[in-house]
Each structure stands twice: as structure tokens, then as C-alpha cells.
Coordinates of all heavy atoms in Angstrom, one line a residue:
M28 N 3.6 15.4 8.6 CA 2.7 14.4 8.1 C 2.8 14.3 6.6 O 2.7 15.3 5.9 CB 1.3 14.7 8.6 CG 0.3 13.6 8.3 SD 0.1 12.6 9.8 CE -1.2 11.6 9.3
A29 N 2.9 13.1 6.0 CA 3.0 12.9 4.6 C 1.9 11.9 4.2 O 1.6 11.0 4.9 CB 4.4 12.4 4.2
T30 N 1.4 12.2 3.0 CA 0.4 11.2 2.4 C 0.8 10.9 1.0 O 1.2 11.8 0.2 CB -1.0 11.9 2.4 OG1 -1.4 12.3 3.7 CG2 -2.1 10.9 1.8
A31 N 0.8 9.6 0.6 CA 1.1 9.2 -0.7 C 0.0 8.2 -1.2 O -0.6 7.5 -0.4 CB 2.5 8.5 -0.7
T32 N -0.3 8.2 -2.5 CA -1.3 7.3 -3.0 C -0.6 6.5 -4.2 O 0.2 6.9 -4.9 CB -2.5 8.0 -3.6 OG1 -2.1 9.0 -4.5 CG2 -3.2 8.7 -2.5
Y33 N -1.1 5.2 -4.2 CA -0.6 4.3 -5.2 C -1.8 3.5 -5.8 O -2.9 3.4 -5.1 CB 0.4 3.3 -4.6 CG 1.5 3.9 -3.9 CD1 1.4 4.3 -2.6 CD2 2.7 4.1 -4.6 CE1 2.5 4.9 -2.0 CE2 3.8 4.7 -4.0 CZ 3.7 5.1 -2.7 OH 4.8 5.7 -2.0
T34 N -1.7 2.9 -6.9 CA -2.7 2.1 -7.5 C -2.2 0.6 -7.5 O -1.1 0.4 -8.0 CB -3.1 2.5 -8.9 OG1 -3.6 3.8 -8.9 CG2 -4.2 1.6 -9.4
V35 N -3.0 -0.2 -6.8 CA -2.5 -1.6 -6.6 C -3.3 -2.5 -7.6 O -4.6 -2.4 -7.7 CB -2.8 -2.1 -5.2 CG1 -2.4 -3.6 -5.1 CG2 -2.0 -1.3 -4.2
K36 N -2.6 -3.3 -8.4 CA -3.3 -4.2 -9.3 C -3.4 -5.6 -8.8 O -2.5 -6.1 -8.0 CB -2.4 -4.3 -10.6 CG -2.3 -3.0 -11.3 CD -1.7 -3.2 -12.7 CE -0.3 -3.8 -12.7 NZ 0.4 -3.9 -14.0
G37 N -4.5 -6.3 -9.1 CA -4.7 -7.7 -8.8 C -5.6 -8.0 -7.5 O -5.8 -9.2 -7.3
M38 N -6.0 -7.0 -6.8 CA -6.9 -7.3 -5.7 C -8.3 -7.6 -6.1 O -8.8 -6.9 -7.0 CB -6.9 -6.0 -4.7 CG -5.6 -5.7 -4.1 SD -5.7 -4.4 -2.9 CE -6.4 -3.0 -3.8
T39 N -8.9 -8.6 -5.5 CA -10.2 -9.0 -6.0 C -11.2 -9.2 -4.8 O -12.4 -9.4 -5.1 CB -10.2 -10.4 -6.7 OG1 -9.6 -11.4 -5.8 CG2 -9.3 -10.3 -8.0
C40 N -10.7 -9.1 -3.5 CA -11.6 -9.3 -2.4 C -11.1 -8.6 -1.2 O -10.1 -8.0 -1.1 CB -11.8 -10.8 -2.2 SG -10.2 -11.6 -1.6
G41 N -11.9 -8.8 -0.1 CA -11.6 -8.2 1.2 C -10.3 -8.7 1.8 O -9.6 -8.0 2.4
H42 N -10.0 -10.0 1.5 CA -8.8 -10.6 2.0 C -7.6 -9.9 1.4 O -6.6 -9.7 2.0 CB -8.8 -12.1 1.8 CG -7.5 -12.8 2.2 ND1 -7.1 -12.8 3.5 CD2 -6.5 -13.4 1.5 CE1 -5.9 -13.4 3.6 NE2 -5.6 -13.8 2.3
C43 N -7.7 -9.6 0.1 CA -6.6 -8.9 -0.6 C -6.3 -7.6 0.0 O -5.2 -7.2 0.3 CB -7.0 -8.7 -2.1 SG -7.5 -10.1 -3.1
V44 N -7.4 -6.9 0.3 CA -7.3 -5.5 1.0 C -6.6 -5.7 2.3 O -5.6 -5.0 2.6 CB -8.7 -4.9 1.2 CG1 -8.6 -3.7 2.1 CG2 -9.2 -4.5 -0.2
S45 N -7.0 -6.7 3.1 CA -6.4 -6.9 4.4 C -4.9 -7.2 4.3 O -4.1 -6.7 5.1 CB -7.1 -8.1 5.1 OG -8.4 -7.7 5.4
S46 N -4.5 -8.0 3.3 CA -3.1 -8.4 3.1 C -2.3 -7.2 2.8 O -1.2 -7.0 3.4 CB -3.0 -9.4 2.0 OG -3.6 -10.6 2.3
V47 N -2.8 -6.3 1.9 CA -2.0 -5.1 1.6 C -1.9 -4.2 2.8 O -0.8 -3.7 3.1 CB -2.7 -4.4 0.4 CG1 -2.0 -3.1 0.1 CG2 -2.5 -5.3 -0.9
K48 N -3.0 -4.0 3.5 CA -3.0 -3.1 4.6 C -2.0 -3.6 5.7 O -1.3 -2.8 6.3 CB -4.4 -3.0 5.3 CG -5.3 -2.1 4.4 CD -6.7 -2.0 5.1 CE -6.8 -1.0 6.1 NZ -8.1 -0.7 6.6
E49 N -2.0 -4.9 5.9 CA -1.1 -5.5 6.9 C 0.3 -5.3 6.6 O 1.1 -4.8 7.4 CB -1.4 -7.0 7.1 CG -0.6 -7.6 8.2 CD -0.9 -9.1 8.4 OE1 -2.1 -9.5 8.1 OE2 0.0 -9.8 8.8
E50 N 0.7 -5.6 5.3 CA 2.1 -5.5 4.9 C 2.6 -4.0 4.9 O 3.7 -3.7 5.4 CB 2.3 -6.1 3.5 CG 2.2 -7.6 3.5 CD 3.3 -8.3 4.3 OE1 4.4 -7.8 4.5 OE2 3.0 -9.5 4.7
V51 N 1.8 -3.2 4.4 CA 2.2 -1.7 4.3 C 2.2 -1.1 5.7 O 3.1 -0.3 6.0 CB 1.3 -0.9 3.3 CG1 1.6 0.5 3.4 CG2 1.4 -1.5 1.9
G52 N 1.3 -1.5 6.5 CA 1.2 -1.0 7.9 C 2.4 -1.4 8.7 O 2.7 -0.7 9.8
E53 N 3.2 -2.4 8.4 CA 4.3 -2.8 9.1 C 5.6 -2.0 8.8 O 6.6 -2.1 9.5 CB 4.6 -4.3 8.9 CG 3.6 -5.2 9.5 CD 3.9 -6.7 9.2 OE1 4.9 -7.0 8.5 OE2 3.1 -7.5 9.6
I54 N 5.5 -1.1 7.8 CA 6.6 -0.2 7.4 C 6.8 0.8 8.5 O 5.9 1.5 9.0 CB 6.4 0.4 6.1 CG1 6.3 -0.6 5.0 CG2 7.5 1.4 5.8 CD1 5.9 -0.1 3.6
S55 N 8.0 1.0 9.0 CA 8.4 1.9 10.0 C 8.0 3.4 9.6 O 8.3 3.8 8.5 CB 9.9 1.9 10.3 OG 10.2 2.8 11.3
G56 N 7.2 4.1 10.5 CA 6.8 5.4 10.2 C 5.4 5.6 9.6 O 4.8 6.6 9.6
V57 N 4.8 4.5 9.1 CA 3.5 4.5 8.6 C 2.5 4.6 9.7 O 2.5 3.9 10.7 CB 3.2 3.2 7.7 CG1 1.7 3.2 7.4 CG2 4.0 3.2 6.5
T58 N 1.6 5.6 9.6 CA 0.6 5.9 10.7 C -0.8 5.4 10.3 O -1.6 5.2 11.2 CB 0.6 7.4 11.1 OG1 0.3 8.1 9.9 CG2 1.9 7.8 11.7
A59 N -1.1 5.3 9.0 CA -2.4 4.9 8.6 C -2.3 4.4 7.1 O -1.5 4.9 6.3 CB -3.4 6.1 8.6
V60 N -3.2 3.3 6.9 CA -3.2 2.7 5.5 C -4.7 2.6 5.2 O -5.5 2.0 5.9 CB -2.5 1.4 5.5 CG1 -2.6 0.8 4.1 CG2 -1.1 1.5 6.0
E61 N -5.1 3.1 4.0 CA -6.4 2.9 3.5 C -6.3 2.2 2.1 O -5.5 2.6 1.3 CB -7.2 4.2 3.4 CG -7.5 4.9 4.7 CD -8.5 4.0 5.6 OE1 -9.4 3.3 5.0 OE2 -8.3 4.0 6.8
V62 N -7.2 1.2 1.9 CA -7.2 0.6 0.6 C -8.6 0.5 0.1 O -9.5 0.1 0.8 CB -6.6 -0.9 0.7 CG1 -6.6 -1.5 -0.7 CG2 -5.2 -0.9 1.3
D63 N -8.8 1.0 -1.1 CA -10.2 0.9 -1.8 C -10.1 -0.2 -2.8 O -9.4 -0.1 -3.8 CB -10.5 2.3 -2.4 CG -11.9 2.2 -3.0 OD1 -12.9 2.2 -2.3 OD2 -12.0 2.2 -4.3
L64 N -10.9 -1.2 -2.5 CA -10.9 -2.4 -3.4 C -11.4 -2.1 -4.8 O -10.8 -2.5 -5.8 CB -11.8 -3.5 -2.8 CG -11.9 -4.8 -3.7 CD1 -10.6 -5.4 -3.9 CD2 -12.9 -5.7 -3.0
A65 N -12.5 -1.3 -4.9 CA -13.1 -1.0 -6.2 C -12.1 -0.2 -7.2 O -12.0 -0.6 -8.4 CB -14.3 -0.1 -6.0
S66 N -11.4 0.7 -6.6 CA -10.5 1.5 -7.5 C -9.0 1.0 -7.4 O -8.2 1.4 -8.3 CB -10.5 3.0 -7.0 OG -9.9 3.1 -5.7
G67 N -8.7 0.2 -6.4 CA -7.3 -0.3 -6.2 C -6.5 0.8 -5.6 O -5.2 0.6 -5.5
L68 N -7.1 1.8 -5.1 CA -6.3 3.0 -4.5 C -5.8 2.6 -3.1 O -6.5 2.2 -2.3 CB -7.1 4.2 -4.5 CG -6.4 5.5 -4.4 CD1 -5.5 5.8 -5.6 CD2 -7.4 6.7 -4.3
L69 N -4.5 2.8 -3.0 CA -3.8 2.6 -1.7 C -3.3 4.0 -1.2 O -2.6 4.7 -1.9 CB -2.6 1.7 -1.9 CG -1.6 1.7 -0.8 CD1 -2.1 1.1 0.5 CD2 -0.4 0.8 -1.2
T70 N -3.8 4.4 0.0 CA -3.4 5.7 0.5 C -2.6 5.4 1.8 O -3.0 4.7 2.7 CB -4.6 6.6 0.9 OG1 -5.4 6.7 -0.3 CG2 -4.2 7.9 1.4
V71 N -1.4 6.0 1.9 CA -0.5 5.7 3.0 C -0.2 7.1 3.6 O 0.3 8.0 3.0 CB 0.9 5.1 2.5 CG1 1.8 4.8 3.7 CG2 0.6 3.8 1.7
E72 N -0.4 7.1 4.9 CA -0.1 8.3 5.7 C 1.1 7.9 6.6 O 1.2 6.8 7.2 CB -1.3 8.8 6.6 CG -2.4 9.3 5.8 CD -3.6 9.8 6.6 OE1 -3.4 9.9 7.8 OE2 -4.6 10.2 6.0
S73 N 2.0 8.9 6.8 CA 3.2 8.6 7.6 C 3.7 9.9 8.2 O 3.3 11.0 7.8 CB 4.3 8.0 6.7 OG 4.6 8.8 5.6
D74 N 4.6 9.7 9.2 CA 5.2 10.9 9.9 C 6.1 11.7 8.9 O 6.0 12.9 8.9 CB 6.0 10.4 11.1 CG 5.1 9.8 12.2 OD1 4.0 10.2 12.4 OD2 5.6 8.8 12.8
D75 N 6.9 10.9 8.2 CA 7.7 11.5 7.2 C 7.5 10.8 5.9 O 7.0 9.6 5.9 CB 9.2 11.4 7.6 CG 9.5 12.1 8.9 OD1 9.3 13.4 8.9 OD2 10.0 11.5 9.9
P76 N 7.9 11.4 4.7 CA 7.7 10.6 3.4 C 8.4 9.3 3.5 O 9.5 9.1 4.0 CB 8.4 11.6 2.4 CG 8.3 12.9 3.0 CD 8.5 12.7 4.5
I77 N 7.7 8.3 2.9 CA 8.2 6.9 2.9 C 8.7 6.6 1.4 O 8.0 7.0 0.5 CB 7.1 5.9 3.2 CG1 6.5 6.1 4.6 CG2 7.6 4.4 3.1 CD1 7.4 5.8 5.7
D78 N 9.9 6.0 1.3 CA 10.4 5.7 0.0 C 9.4 4.8 -0.7 O 9.0 3.8 -0.2 CB 11.7 5.0 0.2 CG 12.4 4.6 -1.2 OD1 11.9 5.0 -2.2 OD2 13.5 3.9 -1.1
S79 N 9.0 5.1 -2.0 CA 8.1 4.4 -2.7 C 8.5 2.9 -3.0 O 7.6 2.0 -3.1 CB 7.7 5.1 -4.1 OG 8.9 5.1 -4.9
E80 N 9.8 2.7 -3.0 CA 10.3 1.3 -3.2 C 9.9 0.4 -2.0 O 9.6 -0.7 -2.1 CB 11.8 1.3 -3.4 CG 12.2 1.9 -4.7 CD 11.5 1.3 -5.9 OE1 11.5 0.0 -6.0 OE2 11.1 2.0 -6.8
Q81 N 9.9 1.0 -0.8 CA 9.4 0.3 0.4 C 8.0 -0.1 0.3 O 7.6 -1.2 0.6 CB 9.6 1.1 1.7 CG 11.0 1.2 2.2 CD 11.1 1.9 3.5 OE1 11.1 3.1 3.5 NE2 11.2 1.1 4.6
I82 N 7.2 0.8 -0.2 CA 5.7 0.6 -0.4 C 5.5 -0.5 -1.4 O 4.8 -1.5 -1.2 CB 5.0 1.9 -0.8 CG1 5.2 3.0 0.2 CG2 3.5 1.5 -1.1 CD1 4.6 2.7 1.5
K83 N 6.2 -0.4 -2.6 CA 6.1 -1.4 -3.6 C 6.5 -2.8 -3.1 O 5.9 -3.8 -3.4 CB 7.0 -1.0 -4.8 CG 6.4 0.2 -5.6 CD 7.4 0.6 -6.7 CE 6.9 1.9 -7.3 NZ 7.8 2.4 -8.4
A84 N 7.6 -2.8 -2.3 CA 8.1 -4.1 -1.8 C 7.0 -4.7 -0.9 O 6.8 -6.0 -0.9 CB 9.4 -3.9 -1.1
A85 N 6.4 -3.9 -0.1 CA 5.4 -4.4 0.9 C 4.2 -4.9 0.1 O 3.6 -6.0 0.4 CB 5.0 -3.3 1.8
V86 N 3.8 -4.2 -0.9 CA 2.6 -4.7 -1.8 C 3.0 -6.0 -2.5 O 2.1 -6.9 -2.5 CB 2.2 -3.6 -2.8 CG1 1.2 -4.1 -3.8 CG2 1.7 -2.3 -2.1
Q87 N 4.2 -6.1 -2.9 CA 4.6 -7.4 -3.6 C 4.7 -8.5 -2.6 O 4.3 -9.6 -2.9 CB 6.0 -7.2 -4.2 CG 5.9 -6.4 -5.5 CD 7.3 -6.2 -6.2 OE1 8.3 -6.2 -5.5 NE2 7.3 -6.0 -7.5
E88 N 5.1 -8.2 -1.3 CA 5.1 -9.2 -0.3 C 3.7 -9.7 0.0 O 3.5 -10.9 0.3 CB 5.7 -8.6 1.0 CG 5.9 -9.6 2.1 CD 7.0 -10.6 1.8 OE1 7.9 -10.4 1.1 OE2 6.8 -11.8 2.4
A89 N 2.7 -8.9 -0.2 CA 1.3 -9.3 0.0 C 0.8 -10.0 -1.2 O -0.3 -10.6 -1.1 CB 0.4 -8.0 0.3
G90 N 1.5 -10.0 -2.3 CA 1.1 -10.8 -3.5 C 0.5 -10.0 -4.6 O -0.1 -10.5 -5.5
Y91 N 0.7 -8.6 -4.6 CA 0.1 -7.8 -5.6 C 1.2 -6.8 -6.2 O 2.3 -6.9 -5.8 CB -1.0 -7.0 -5.0 CG -2.0 -7.9 -4.3 CD1 -1.9 -8.2 -2.9 CD2 -2.9 -8.7 -5.0 CE1 -2.7 -9.1 -2.3 CE2 -3.7 -9.6 -4.4 CZ -3.6 -9.8 -3.1 OH -4.4 -10.7 -2.5
E92 N 0.8 -6.0 -7.1 CA 1.7 -5.1 -7.8 C 1.2 -3.7 -7.7 O 0.0 -3.4 -7.8 CB 1.8 -5.4 -9.3 CG 2.6 -6.7 -9.6 CD 2.7 -6.9 -11.1 OE1 3.1 -5.9 -11.8 OE2 2.3 -7.9 -11.6
V93 N 2.1 -2.7 -7.6 CA 1.8 -1.3 -7.7 C 1.9 -1.0 -9.2 O 2.8 -1.2 -9.9 CB 2.8 -0.4 -6.9 CG1 2.5 1.0 -7.2 CG2 2.6 -0.7 -5.4
D94 N 0.8 -0.3 -9.7 CA 0.7 0.1 -11.1 C 1.8 1.2 -11.3 O 1.7 2.2 -10.6 CB -0.7 0.6 -11.4 CG -0.9 0.9 -12.9 OD1 0.1 1.0 -13.6 OD2 -2.1 0.9 -13.3
P95 N 2.7 1.0 -12.2 CA 3.8 2.0 -12.4 C 3.4 3.3 -13.0 O 4.1 4.3 -13.0 CB 4.7 1.2 -13.4 CG 3.9 0.2 -14.1 CD 2.8 -0.1 -13.1
S96 N 2.1 3.4 -13.6 CA 1.7 4.6 -14.2 C 1.3 5.7 -13.2 O 1.1 5.5 -12.1 CB 0.6 4.4 -15.2 OG -0.5 3.8 -14.5

């Protein structure tokens, strides 16, 4: 089991959170996705480590950005 956290920029509402959760949740191997709107924190749990580029691409598909810092 692997857990990774990212900071997502640009989310302003519950719909934003839902969009990010849906896109990231579609990545093969992802078992759980949590998004905290207030902090922008995205937590991804998976069977095996997921390439961060896949996570970034899914967040971008939802219309947001992963903070590079």
C-alpha cells in the first residue's frame, strides 16, 4: 500500500473537489482519494506507488494544477 500527497491549486468549491476526486480515482491502481478544499491537499492511496506525472495529468484534466513545491 502506498500513500502520496499533493497540493492542488485553483479549487474553490465542492464541485472542484468532486472533479479532482473523479479524475484521480480513474487511475489504475488507485484505491482511495481524499481532497481537502481548505488546504488544497490531495491524498492518494494505491496498491503500488503511482507515477506523479499520472496524478498531475489527472488533476490537469479536472481543470486544476498540482503545486510544484
Side-chain angles (χ1 to χ4, degrees):
M28 187 97 172
T30 302
T32 56
Y33 304 87
T34 302
V35 178
K36 298 190 300 184
M38 296 187 301
T39 58
C40 64
H42 177 64
C43 302
V44 169
S45 296
S46 296
V47 171
K48 285 179 83 167
E49 183 178 335
E50 290 295 336
V51 174
E53 291 178 2
I54 298 171
S55 179
V57 170
T58 56
V60 180
E61 291 297 325
V62 181
D63 182 70
L64 178 61
S66 66
L68 199 63
L69 164 65
T70 304
V71 181
E72 293 183 7
S73 55
D74 295 325
D75 295 304
I77 304 286
D78 182 6
S79 64
E80 292 304 314
Q81 282 186 281
I82 302 295
K83 290 176 185 177
V86 169
Q87 286 180 332
E88 185 68 30
Y91 307 97
E92 289 182 51
V93 171
D94 191 336
S96 57

